[in-house]
Amino acid sequence: MNTPKNPWRRLKAERARAGSLPYPVQDEFTSLKAEGFDFVMNIVEQRDGSTRQLVNALLMAFTMRSWDRIRLARALPSLCIHNESGLRETAVRILVVLLNLNRRAPGERIPYDDARSCAALLREALALGVQEDTAAFALEYLALTP
């Protein structure tokens, strides 16, 4: 049996072979725990799929970040300055959320976080262009950064 090349269909085919129940896709990933996180992070890191699939994988990885915050934090910088605006938009929003959480919740700390390099990264992403609401969200964070 041929394995589909599309990463989402590939996972669904693997789950179907295992005889699992038809959950929504996100539930399928979260039910796989660390294995599901590895799968979505591989999609993000290898840019394996369309822009929409990469955005969905990034959002799922963010939801499942408790499995490996370091890996997610390392993948974000290159995505924040990606040439595809939809992916850049999502990455910038996730980075700002993580940085805000980093300030407020000790359990959400991003290991090896350097606020200055993240601020420079956000400024670079804003220069490349993001939607107005994302720019306002990022600028609000930057205003609070010393």
Side-chain angles (χ1 to χ4, degrees):
M1 178 178 211
N2 290 338
T3 303
K5 292 181 181 180
N6 177 304
W8 305 112
R9 289 187 183 149
R10 190 169 57 216
L11 179 69
K12 285 187 153 201
E14 289 170 15
R15 298 288 290 158
R17 281 194 294 270
S20 65
L21 296 173
Y23 296 113
V25 174
Q26 185 170 347
D27 291 345
E28 290 182 25
F29 285 103
T30 55
S31 70
L32 290 172
K33 300 181 179 155
E35 184 183 335
F37 180 79
D38 285 342
F39 186 83
V40 294
M41 282 306 297
N42 284 337
I43 292 169
V44 169
E45 292 165 344
Q46 296 171 10
R47 313 295 198 277
D48 185 17
S50 69
T51 301
R52 192 175 111 221
Q53 290 168 336
L54 288 170
V55 167
N56 288 338
L58 183 58
L59 289 170
M60 278 189 240
F62 174 69
T63 302
M64 301 170 69
R65 68 189 178 277
S66 61
W67 291 104
D68 193 349
R69 283 185 180 83
I70 296 170
R71 189 172 175 190
L72 178 62
R74 285 187 184 147
L76 280 175
S78 66
L79 297 173
C80 286
I81 55 173
H82 197 271
N83 60 356
E84 178 56 49
S85 63
L87 188 55
R88 182 173 58 242
E89 183 88 22
T90 304
V92 166
R93 282 194 153 281
I94 288 174
L95 180 62
V96 173
V97 168
L98 286 175
L99 290 169
N100 282 327
L101 287 171
N102 198 29
R103 278 190 189 148
R104 297 180 190 135
E108 285 289 338
R109 292 234 177 261
I110 303 171
Y112 314 112
D113 174 47
D114 178 12
R116 287 189 180 152
S117 67
C118 287
L121 179 65
L122 286 175
R123 285 186 184 92
E124 188 177 348
L126 292 174
L128 289 171
V130 292
Q131 290 182 4
E132 197 173 308
D133 58 337
T134 302
F137 187 51
L139 289 170
E140 182 181 317
Y141 171 79
L142 290 172
L144 298 172
T145 304

